[in-house]
Amino acid sequence: MDFSKFFSVILLACCLCMTCNNNAVVKASHRIYPEFQSFQAKKVMKLHRTGFHFQPPRNWINDPNAPMFFNGIYHLFYQYNPKGAVWGNIVWAHSVSTDMINWEALDPAIYPTKPFDINGCWSGSATILPGNKPVILYTGVDTQNRQVQNYAIPANYSDPYLREWVKPDNNPLVVPGVGMNATAFRDPTTAWQGKDGQWRILVGSKGMHVGSKGKHAGIAFLYRSKDFVNWVQARYPLHSSAHTGMWECPDFFPVSLNGKAGLDTSLVGKNMKHVMKVSLDLTRYDYYTVGTYFPRKDRYVPDNTSDDGWNGLRYDYGNYYASKSFFDAGKDRRILWGWANESDTAQNDNDKGWAGILTIPRMVWLDSNRKQLVQWPIKELETLRGKKVQISNQQVRKGEHIEVKGITAAQADVEVTFLLPSLDNAEKFDPSWVNAQDLCGLKGSKVEGGVGPFGLLTLSSKHLEEYTPVFFRVFKAPNKHVVLMCSDARSSSLRKSGLYKPSFAGFVDVDLADGKLSLRSLIDHSVVGSFGAGGKTCITSRVYPKLAVFNNAHLYAFNNGTGTVTIESLNAWSMKNAQL
Ligand code: DQQ
C-alpha cells in the first residue's frame, strides 16, 4: 500500500471515529499528538527553515485563511498553534504586507473565547462588503463540538492594519441543519452577491442529503442572505460529487475566458467560466474543475473536460493543501495561497520547533484551452532576486549533468527553457499509465528514455549522494505526445527512516510544436516548488537533505535520455531572505 493510500485509510478511520463520538477531543482532519500539542521547543532549528517562503518564527502552521487586499494592505491570516509544532490550540494568526512577500506579524486576530468557538477557530474567508467593510466568516467549534459558521468584523475600520477583530454576540450565523453531520460542516467561502442582491456562501461537508450524490458524497452546501447576518440554506447544494468524502476549504470563483486578469468573486456573465476547488480530506490534495455557474438555479456544472473527483485536475501535484484564492482589486488579478506541510515525523517537527510553510502566492488564470488553470509566482517575488547567472544554447548530451555555478543553490529561483531537437525517439506511451506519480516511480530520473528524462537536479550534494530531480519525459501516444513532469523526493535525503519521499508527478498538457519545454523551480532549503510549461503543471516537494544544505547545495541541469537536448536559456538567481 503506498503512503497516500495508507494515509487515507488512517484519516477515514479518524473521521469515522469522530462521527461516532461527538464529545471526543476535537479532531478536525489533522493528526493529533496530545503529547506535543503544547510543547514549546527550547530552540528553533535553523536547518531546513525557508528563506523566502512564508512561515512564522516557530510552531505549527496550516491553512491560509481570509487573504484579502484592503486599503492598500494585504492581509493574511492562518491556522496557527501558538504553543507547539503539531496541530492543536488553533488560533487565527495575522500578518500584513504591501507586497505579499515581506510580512509584519500582528497579534492573533481570532481565538477561542465564546461559546460558539470555544473548542476551535477553524478556517474561513474574507468578503469586502459595500462601503469597503471587510468581514470574516470562519468555522467555530462550539460547546457541543458542533461546527458552526461565525463572523468577525474589525473593531476599528480606520486602523490600516485592522489589528483587532470583534465577534458579535449574534453569532453563530449558521448552524448544521437537521440530518447534517455536525462534525463535517466547515470552512465558509468568500461570499458572492447575486443580481437579486442576496449574498451566497458555500460550506464544505459530506454525506447523504437532498441533491447530494450518495452516502460518501462531498458537498458544498449553499446559503443565501440579504443582510449577511440571517442565512438560509438553499434546498440544493451548489455542487456535490459521489465518493469524494469530506470537502474541506471549498473555493468558488469566476475566471476570464480571455487573458490573465482576475475577476471579482461576484461577477457573472458570458465572458467567463467558473472554477470549483475542494480540498479532499481523504487524499489531502486540492482538486478543481472548470465549469459553468447557473446563477438563476444556483447550481454549478463542471465541464466534461476533466474528472470531477480523485482523478481530476490538481492545483499542485505535490505537497499542497487547503488553498484559498482572493481577488486582488489593487492589481486586477486572482491570487492563490496554499499550505505545504512537512514530510517529516511529528517527533522531528516537535524537535525542530516548527512545522508547515505557505507556498509563494501564485497568480491564477484560465488557460487559452479553457480546460485548465495556469499558475505563476507573483511578480513581487522577483524583488528578492540577487546575483544572476545565465547559460544559453548549451547542449546536454545523454548522461551529462552541467553545474549551474555562482549562485546560492539552496535558496534560488531558476528558469530554464529546453529545446528538443527531435521527438522521433520518444518512448511509446502505455495507456494503462493513468497515474503520473506511479509512472514517475517506475521511470525515475536515472531511467533512460528516448526524449528525457531531462531537467534540473535541485538541492544536490557535490557528488550526487542526494538530489531532488525535477524533470520531464516525453512519450509518444497514437495522435499526440504525452509529457510527464516529476519532482522526485526519493533521492532527496540520505536519511533512511521517518521521511515521506514520494515521486510526485503530473502530466503536462502542452503543445510541443515549437520543440520547447520550460521549467521554473523555486528552491528554498526544504522546499522545491516547480512550474512546468509556464505554470500548466505545478509540483511542490518538501525535502530534508543532510549534505546538500546551505553552501553545500548544488544545482545541475541534466539529461538521461538518448536524444541530446539544448538549454536554450537558463537564468538562475540567488534569492535574498524575505522579511518575515
Ligand atoms: N483545517 C482546519 C479546518 C479545515 C482543515 C482546521 C483543512 O477548518 O477543514 O485547522 O486543513
Side-chain angles (χ1 to χ4, degrees):
M1 187 184 275
D2 74 20
F3 181 89
S4 55
K5 284 184 196 135
F6 173 74
F7 199 49
S8 308
V9 171
I10 298 280
L11 274 163
L12 190 60
C14 290
C15 297
L16 288 174
C17 155
M18 237 168 73
T19 331
C20 28
N21 184 1
N22 278 359
N23 294 323
V25 187
V26 180
K27 284 190 173 165
S29 47
H30 302 273
R31 301 286 292 274
I32 305 289
Y33 301 93
E35 70 279 29
F36 298 142
Q37 254 178 20
S38 301
F39 182 90
Q40 196 76 259
K42 283 208 186 72
K43 245 176 79 190
V44 172
M45 251 169 65
K46 282 241 164 41
L47 181 68
H48 298 138
R49 270 184 77 78
T50 59
F52 60 94
H53 282 73
F54 184 90
Q55 64 178 144
R58 62 193 309 148
N59 296 327
W60 165 273
I61 166 174
N62 58 292
D63 319 353
N65 290 154
M68 66 170 167
F69 179 71
F70 177 69
N71 288 351
I73 306 276
Y74 292 101
H75 292 255
L76 174 69
F77 303 84
Y78 55 94
Q79 298 275 287
Y80 176 63
N81 179 356
K83 297 184 179 163
V86 298
W87 188 85
N89 310 305
I90 292 294
V91 302
W92 275 50
H94 184 192
S95 289
V96 286
S97 169
T98 51
D99 61 6
M100 286 190 278
I101 296 296
N102 300 290
W103 292 90
E104 186 178 334
L106 305 176
D107 285 343
I110 303 176
Y111 40 90
T113 52
K114 301 271 185 170
F116 51 78
D117 68 7
I118 198 69
N119 284 320
C121 292
W122 292 359
S123 287
S125 312
T127 306
I128 305 210
L129 296 181
N132 205 20
K133 296 264 186 304
V135 50
I136 282 173
L137 292 174
Y138 71 99
T139 296
V141 184
D142 73 2
T143 44
Q144 302 160 54
N145 279 335
R146 291 182 314 167
Q147 293 169 10
V148 299
Q149 316 315 320
N150 303 321
Y151 76 118
I153 49 174
N156 174 8
Y157 289 96
S158 54
D159 169 9
Y161 285 0
L162 302 176
R163 287 178 177 85
E164 207 187 316
W165 290 74
V166 187
K167 302 180 279 191
D169 286 337
N170 57 350
N171 273 308
L173 298 183
V174 178
V175 299
V178 180
M180 280 187 197
N181 181 341
T183 58
F185 183 63
R186 55 182 178 267
D187 308 337
T189 58
T190 294
W192 71 98
Q193 194 175 30
K195 294 234 161 78
D196 57 4
Q198 294 207 56
W199 290 98
R200 285 142 170 93
I201 53 163
L202 303 178
V203 180
S205 188
K206 65 172 176 184
M208 182 78 117
H209 286 275
V210 178
S212 90
K213 299 188 176 141
K215 229 164 70 192
H216 303 292
I219 307 174
F221 283 122
L222 175 72
Y223 287 81
R224 296 190 192 97
S225 172
K226 289 190 177 119
D227 55 7
F228 224 84
V229 172
N230 297 291
W231 291 88
V232 177
Q233 190 194 341
R235 178 167 162 78
Y236 294 103
L238 183 88
H239 188 50
S240 161
S241 178
H243 311 298
T244 47
M246 177 65 196
W247 284 4
E248 297 188 311
C249 305
D251 199 10
F252 183 60
F253 55 88
V255 280
S256 170
L257 288 184
N258 306 300
K260 298 181 179 178
L263 301 178
D264 181 274
T265 311
S266 291
L267 279 182
V268 286
K270 287 219 167 78
N271 297 323
M272 63 189 72
K273 287 205 158 278
H274 271 74
V275 171
M276 170 110 208
K277 182 280 293 188
V278 292
S279 302
L280 290 193
D281 191 13
L282 290 177
T283 64
R284 308 299 282 176
Y285 297 127
D286 279 11
Y287 300 80
Y288 72 92
T289 50
V290 175
T292 307
Y293 170 45
F294 296 94
R296 280 219 206 108
K297 290 189 182 152
D298 259 332
R299 304 295 286 271
Y300 166 75
V301 180
D303 291 349
N304 59 9
T305 47
S306 72
D307 190 79
D308 185 16
W310 294 35
N311 294 317
L313 295 169
R314 278 164 52 184
Y315 278 168
D316 191 299
Y317 292 86
N319 186 337
Y320 187 91
Y321 193 64
S323 64
K324 185 156 303 273
S325 76
F326 77 104
F327 174 59
D328 174 4
K331 293 205 168 144
D332 278 341
R333 54 187 179 175
R334 186 158 285 272
I335 303 290
L336 185 65
W337 280 98
W339 162 47
N341 197 12
E342 303 306 306
S343 296
D344 205 342
T345 61
Q347 175 71 57
N348 270 318
D349 293 345
N350 183 66
D351 293 347
K352 68 184 197 276
W354 58 274
I357 61 167
L358 298 185
T359 52
I360 297 298
R362 303 171 180 176
M363 198 172 128
V364 58
W365 67 93
L366 185 65
D367 187 76
S368 53
N369 71 11
R370 299 183 177 177
K371 293 192 290 195
Q372 70 158 99
L373 296 174
V374 185
Q375 301 164 62
W376 198 246
I378 55 166
K379 188 106 186 96
E380 289 88 331
L381 180 68
E382 294 168 22
T383 58
L384 296 182
R385 285 175 171 175
K387 188 174 173 209
K388 178 181 178 185
V389 295
Q390 262 181 310
I391 298 177
S392 45
N393 291 323
Q394 162 114 39
Q395 287 198 334
V396 196
R397 291 188 194 83
K398 179 184 145 190
E400 253 186 324
H401 55 276
I402 293 170
E403 180 155 15
V404 182
K405 284 189 183 147
I407 53 155
T408 52
Q411 198 171 311
D413 181 356
V414 195
E415 290 193 71
V416 53
T417 301
F418 292 98
L419 199 59
L420 321 178
S422 156
L423 299 177
D424 293 348
N425 290 336
E427 299 156 78
K428 201 164 165 246
F429 186 73
D430 177 339
S432 72
W433 291 334
V434 283
N435 184 307
Q437 188 168 327
D438 290 348
L439 181 54
C440 180
L442 194 72
K443 291 179 174 284
S445 63
K446 284 188 164 169
V447 179
E448 186 180 301
V451 183
F454 61 88
L456 299 171
L457 302 180
T458 70
L459 294 173
S460 304
S461 57
K462 187 151 193 234
H463 303 295
L464 298 181
E465 299 90 339
E466 292 181 327
Y467 54 96
T468 301
V470 185
F471 60 96
F472 298 112
R473 184 185 280 272
V474 181
F475 297 93
K476 206 172 0 194
N479 295 314
K480 57 173 185 178
H481 286 98
V482 177
V483 179
L484 176 73
M485 172 175 161
C486 299
S487 176
D488 190 351
R490 287 176 300 174
S491 49
S492 60
S493 175
L494 287 177
R495 235 177 80 193
K496 289 273 176 301
S497 61
L499 295 182
Y500 174 43
K501 299 194 253 185
S503 55
F504 283 136
F507 292 108
V508 195
D509 185 2
V510 63
D511 182 4
L512 293 178
D514 62 0
K516 292 184 190 178
L517 258 177
S518 72
L519 173 67
R520 179 171 181 191
S521 285
L522 303 175
I523 304 160
D524 198 3
H525 302 277
S526 61
V527 59
V528 182
S530 300
F531 301 79
K536 292 192 90 169
T537 298
C538 309
I539 312 181
T540 299
S541 293
R542 297 301 312 276
V543 292
Y544 308 88
K546 278 180 83 145
L547 304 175
V549 297
F550 302 115
N551 290 333
N552 295 327
H554 298 257
L555 173 68
Y556 300 92
F558 81 101
N559 177 20
N560 279 330
T562 49
T564 298
V565 296
T566 301
I567 297 175
E568 188 187 58
S569 72
L570 181 149
N571 295 316
W573 294 263
S574 293
M575 290 296 275
K576 293 176 224 150
N577 286 336
Q579 284 160 33
L580 290 168

